């Protein structure tokens, strides 16, 4: 099963868990979340992208700690099996997982870049005020990723779709003379078949 095979709600929860894992205080963040958000998110991620937890041992240890705190047998059993893998198998599976992410996001990133991407995915799904996100160097990659992984969600949620399209329109105007960026933006715009009918969403800037 892949992420896109999950329900929209469970996909969102999985994205949220991955974003929470980027925090240095990840355990505390997960503990302060709503119980259902954390548990359902971990279940969703384990059902679709189990090898995510092999990227960083702290991801695995944190999720195991959560399974102990909430006495969740499913999470504990799945993660315990990962914990038993030898080093070579762990490295092989984590590398394969990241390579699949390279393909989905259309570029090769390092670990620090990936953490930023995971956080950005969650912020975009939450429709965070885009004035705080426009300078992020990975915003095009994240929008493209979300439009593909959540194509069904954006096809029926006009507000969410307009939000991403607004960001692209702003970036297109800003980078009018940058051929590379304009080509990249135009390629992503092809994922918005109704873009001519959409309205621009404006967030007031706070100074």
């Amino acid at each position: 099963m892949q992420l896109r095979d999950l329900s929209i709600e469970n996909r969102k929860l999985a994205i949220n868990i991955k974003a929470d894992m980027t925090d240095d205080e990840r355990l505390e963040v997960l503990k302060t979340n709503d119980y259902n958000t954390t548990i359902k998110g971990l279940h969703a991620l384990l059902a679709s992208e189990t090898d995510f937890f092999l990227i960083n041992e702290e991801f695995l240890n944190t999720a195991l700690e959560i399974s102990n705190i909430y006495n969740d047998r499913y999470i504990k059993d799945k993660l315990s099996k990962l914990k038993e893998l030898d080093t070579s198998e762990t490295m092989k599976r984590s590398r394969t997982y990241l390579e699949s992410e390279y393909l989905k996001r259309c570029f090769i990133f390092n670990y620090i870049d990936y953490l930023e991407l995971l956080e950005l995915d969650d912020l975009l799904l939450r429709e965070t005020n885009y004035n705080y996100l426009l300078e992020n160097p990975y915003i095009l990659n994240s929008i493209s990723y979300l439009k593909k992984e959540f194509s069904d969600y954006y096809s029926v949620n006009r507000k969410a779709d307009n939000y991403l399209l607004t960001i692209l329109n702003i970036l297109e105007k800003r980078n009018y003379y940058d051929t590379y960026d304009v080509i990249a933006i135009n390629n992503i715009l092809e994922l918005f078949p109704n873009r001519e009918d959409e309205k621009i969403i404006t967030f007031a800037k706070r100074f």
Side-chain angles (χ1 to χ4, degrees):
M1 180 181 290
Q2 297 184 27
L3 185 66
R4 67 182 65 182
D5 297 320
L6 301 175
S7 67
I8 292 171
E9 178 190 3
N10 284 340
R11 264 176 280 168
K12 284 185 172 183
L13 291 173
I15 293 292
N16 178 246
I17 290 295
K18 290 200 282 187
D20 287 346
M21 286 293 181
T22 69
D23 197 295
D24 289 338
E25 301 298 325
R26 55 186 67 85
L27 179 59
E28 293 306 312
V29 171
L30 290 172
K31 285 164 61 178
T32 56
N33 282 349
D34 173 79
Y35 168 82
N36 285 327
T37 297
T38 295
I39 295 302
K40 287 183 178 180
L42 285 170
H43 277 235
L45 195 50
L46 283 166
S48 59
E49 297 186 355
T50 306
D51 289 351
F52 167 79
F53 295 95
L54 298 177
I55 296 172
N56 183 332
E57 189 175 7
E58 284 302 309
F59 295 174
L60 180 55
N61 291 337
T62 298
L64 269 171
E65 183 64 25
I66 289 294
S67 75
N68 289 325
I69 292 171
Y70 294 121
N71 194 29
D72 190 290
R73 177 57 60 183
Y74 173 80
I75 296 173
K76 187 171 185 177
D77 287 348
K78 294 276 283 188
L79 294 175
S80 294
K81 290 179 181 178
L82 294 181
K83 195 78 172 175
E84 294 170 0
L85 296 174
D86 61 37
T87 302
S88 62
E89 183 65 15
T90 296
M91 292 181 64
K92 177 183 176 181
R93 287 175 57 170
S94 64
R95 184 171 61 251
T96 299
Y97 175 80
L98 286 174
E99 287 172 352
S100 72
E101 286 285 280
Y102 297 157
L103 292 174
K104 290 178 183 178
R105 297 173 185 277
C106 302
F107 83 115
I108 296 175
F109 43 78
N110 61 35
Y111 177 71
I112 300 301
D113 295 335
Y114 189 49
L115 296 185
E116 190 166 351
L117 275 163
L118 296 179
E119 184 177 11
L120 182 58
D121 292 342
D122 188 52
L123 292 172
L124 289 171
L125 268 177
R126 293 173 183 273
E127 297 175 45
T128 303
N129 186 328
Y130 56 66
N131 290 310
Y132 302 112
L133 308 178
L134 292 172
E135 302 302 324
N136 191 294
Y138 311 116
I139 194 165
L140 294 180
N141 304 94
S142 191
I143 290 175
S144 176
Y145 169 78
L146 291 176
K147 278 290 288 184
K148 293 172 183 175
E149 295 296 306
F150 289 83
S151 58
D152 51 345
Y153 169 66
Y154 288 109
S155 68
V156 297
N157 190 322
R158 295 288 293 276
K159 179 177 177 291
D161 206 51
N162 287 348
Y163 167 79
L164 295 184
L165 184 60
T166 298
I167 294 174
L168 289 173
N169 286 331
I170 292 172
L171 293 175
E172 184 178 33
K173 291 176 181 178
R174 283 189 177 186
N175 296 284
Y176 183 78
Y177 296 105
D178 190 318
T179 304
Y180 177 82
D181 284 342
V182 170
I183 291 174
I185 292 169
N186 285 336
N187 286 337
I188 299 172
L189 284 171
E190 293 300 317
L191 300 173
F192 294 80
N194 301 315
R195 60 185 178 277
E196 300 300 331
D197 302 323
E198 306 293 5
K199 296 180 180 179
I200 301 298
I201 297 174
T202 302
F203 290 101
K205 289 185 177 181
R206 289 192 288 178
F207 297 95

